[in-house]
Amino acid sequence: MNYLHYAEKYMMDTYKYLPVVFTHAKGCKLYDISDKEYLDFTSGIGVMALGHGNKKWTKAVKDQLDKLVHTSNIVLNVPILELAKKLTKVSNMSKVFFCNSGTEANECAIKLARKYSFEKYGKGRNTIITLNRSFHGRTMASLEATGEEELHKYFYPFPEGFKHVDINPTALEKAVDSNVCAIMIEAVQGEGGVNPLSREFVNKVFEIAEKNDILVICDEVQCGLGRTGKLYGFNNYGVQPDIISVAKALGGGLPMGATLCNEKLKNAFKYGDHGSTFGGNPVCAAGAVEILNQITDENFLEKVSKKGIFIKNFFKNKPSKNIREVRGIGLMVGVEINGKASEIQKEVLKKGLLVLTAGTDNVVRILPPLIITKKELEKGLNIIYEAIDNM
Ligand SMILES: Cc1ncc(COP(=O)(O)O)c(C=O)c1O
């Protein structure tokens, strides 16, 4: 049975679906309705960090499903308390707010930064600087924060108080005035083309922030939770932000997001300032505790780094006239090509490999589950290389 036409008929045209429908998965492999096997180099866009069907995560979620699925935020549940303690500890942060997605985690970060600034400096100091080519989500404030005009054009008016700047220290310095309350960055921009920020630029962000009592928000929705071989993308730069937003990998496939803050901000929100019906759901939380346990396990992150180096070396040893640059950190890699990444995506799909694109359709994005083996990596990389080289 071919279900694909259902999408055209019944679903809004917000996505460009590839011609495949998956029914099940295991580890780094996906299977379609005719049981054809595909290697997953996408991890559901950074979500399935531990691969598909991780036994401990599945058990934690199933056990919790049998015990308690939802209450509300007028009461507490055990998994969310455990998760709050663990997540703040490993993140070196003081407090956390739970929500359901990356865009919501960023909305919370924006509100928190503005509330802190309002209380300390009064009305008007509410501008948030974000970077060109950034991606922070699809709800109105997070979308306005996103430095990609193409995504904005139909949706005006947006909330006020955002400034987008180029990723260079001088542009940043120029944009700072007395109304700025926060600078929001992705240590490695994902959707924008897999662009790791330079150390010089990150240092400048923190230097300006410190000098002017401006908060730094790190959007770790895509590059966080082990993806770069460190717990957070910003750990590669030796800095610690005031606010961290996470989602994707945290839920292990269930919707979950979180916004973490440091000592300075821990009392900024008061009763009534923010909320979410599903945020703090015990089933998602029980799974998230298991995700954190595994990602923070000894040697796990070191292995991710090694696999990242393996990818870089693969392309170093196999240059191609059609490859412009290979960049990224850990298992977040972008291969910039002369040509359309979406064509490569379609081509490799035929060979049983699922990859992502990024940037202006000029980057093949590799974002596999963090548990992928070198053998699986090599197999997929050869398929990608051949498709690019034969373009
Ligand atoms: C860096 C970053 N922030 C925010 C988001 C939005 O997350 P969500 O789609 O869960 O709302 C994404 C999604 O790709 C992202 O990559």
Side-chain angles (χ1 to χ4, degrees):
M1 168 106 185
N2 181 2
Y3 291 102
L4 274 169
H5 68 281
Y6 281 26
E8 211 171 296
K9 191 159 179 356
Y10 301 115
M11 292 164 76
M12 291 195 199
D13 299 326
T14 49
Y15 305 107
K16 231 184 225 167
Y17 294 108
L18 290 166
V20 63
V21 179
F22 291 118
T23 56
H24 57 290
K26 187 96 204 99
C28 297
K29 307 218 171 75
L30 292 154
Y31 299 87
D32 72 8
I33 42 181
S34 54
D35 220 23
K36 180 176 167 187
E37 185 181 289
Y38 295 78
L39 189 53
D40 183 6
F41 267 28
T42 71
S43 58
I45 320 193
V47 170
M48 307 306 288
L50 301 179
H52 301 273
N54 180 276
K55 281 207 169 86
K56 286 186 175 165
W57 178 84
T58 306
K59 183 174 180 331
V61 167
K62 280 186 175 166
D63 286 353
Q64 188 57 40
L65 269 176
D66 286 336
K67 283 189 206 158
L68 177 72
V69 174
H70 179 82
T71 51
S72 78
N73 283 312
I74 65 161
V75 288
L76 286 159
N77 64 75
V78 175
I80 205 64
L81 293 168
E82 263 186 60
L83 180 62
K85 180 166 181 244
K86 184 153 187 91
L87 186 58
T88 49
K89 184 156 182 261
V90 297
S91 306
N92 208 6
M93 288 302 222
S94 301
K95 286 193 176 178
V96 60
F97 176 87
F98 290 105
C99 58
N100 317 283
S101 66
T103 199
E104 281 177 72
N106 286 332
E107 294 283 331
C108 175
I110 291 163
K111 283 177 72 177
L112 188 62
R114 286 185 172 169
K115 174 87 196 284
Y116 172 82
S117 187
F118 186 99
E119 294 217 306
K120 194 160 172 190
Y121 297 98
K123 227 172 158 180
R125 190 182 182 272
N126 51 28
T127 302
I128 299 188
I129 295 180
T130 65
L131 306 181
N132 283 331
R133 297 190 294 175
S134 61
F135 185 83
H136 298 297
R138 299 286 192 167
T139 50
M140 291 305 269
S142 295
L143 181 57
E144 170 60 352
T146 294
E148 200 62 73
E149 183 49 33
E150 182 62 21
L151 300 179
H152 294 166
K153 59 186 181 189
Y154 304 116
F155 303 113
Y156 288 90
F158 285 106
E160 290 170 18
F162 290 89
K163 259 192 206 173
H164 308 112
V165 303
D166 282 340
I167 308 175
N168 84 61
T170 318
L172 180 67
E173 219 148 8
K174 260 194 189 159
V176 174
D177 60 25
S178 58
N179 288 334
V180 174
C181 69
I183 303 170
M184 184 159 163
I185 58 173
E186 294 158 85
V188 185
Q189 292 185 329
E191 303 303 309
V194 190
N195 310 311
L197 298 183
S198 70
R199 195 168 270 271
E200 183 203 6
F201 183 76
V202 173
N203 286 343
K204 190 53 134 187
V205 168
F206 280 81
E207 184 194 306
I208 289 177
E210 169 130 32
K211 204 160 92 194
N212 300 285
D213 193 18
I214 289 170
L215 301 169
V216 179
I217 304 170
C218 279
D219 178 344
E220 291 281 333
V221 169
Q222 189 162 149
C223 65
L225 297 178
R227 177 57 51 192
T228 65
K230 306 261 189 219
L231 185 62
Y232 288 112
F234 62 76
N235 292 141
N236 293 286
Y237 299 82
V239 292
Q240 178 74 17
D242 301 286
I243 302 175
I244 306 171
S245 48
V246 286
K248 288 193 184 285
L250 184 62
L254 293 178
M256 168 155 253
T259 309
L260 293 132
C261 71
N262 62 10
E263 274 301 288
K264 197 151 115 176
L265 291 152
K266 73 175 185 187
N267 298 318
F269 273 164
K270 295 282 183 291
Y271 172 71
D273 280 337
H274 202 49
S276 161
T277 294
F278 292 115
N281 174 277
V283 178
C284 300
V289 169
E290 195 45 56
I291 300 273
L292 280 188
N293 285 343
Q294 294 189 41
I295 287 177
T296 55
D297 198 27
E298 223 184 322
N299 298 331
F300 185 91
L301 295 174
E302 202 185 314
K303 283 187 202 150
V304 173
S305 286
K306 284 192 178 146
K307 287 182 252 190
I309 292 166
F310 179 81
I311 300 178
K312 291 268 179 71
N313 284 340
F314 176 94
F315 286 108
K316 210 184 270 171
N317 295 331
K318 272 185 143 189
S320 163
K321 61 189 181 312
N322 295 329
I323 296 179
R324 279 199 207 149
E325 190 186 9
V326 179
R327 54 178 181 258
I329 311 180
L331 287 175
M332 184 168 184
V333 178
V335 183
E336 188 175 325
I337 58 172
N338 292 317
K340 284 192 165 185
S342 53
E343 292 304 318
I344 299 299
Q345 187 183 45
K346 279 183 217 143
E347 203 47 43
V348 301
L349 188 74
K350 290 182 206 154
K351 308 242 163 69
L353 177 71
L354 192 64
V355 297
L356 295 164
T357 64
T360 49
D361 197 16
N362 58 341
V363 175
V364 177
R365 186 168 29 145
I366 300 171
L367 218 60
L370 305 182
I371 51 132
I372 195 160
T373 63
K374 284 195 179 158
K375 207 170 151 202
E376 286 169 324
L377 272 179
E378 193 165 22
K379 184 179 168 191
L381 292 173
N382 275 313
I383 297 173
I384 293 173
Y385 179 84
E386 235 172 73
I388 295 174
D389 202 49
N390 292 333
M391 235 171 12

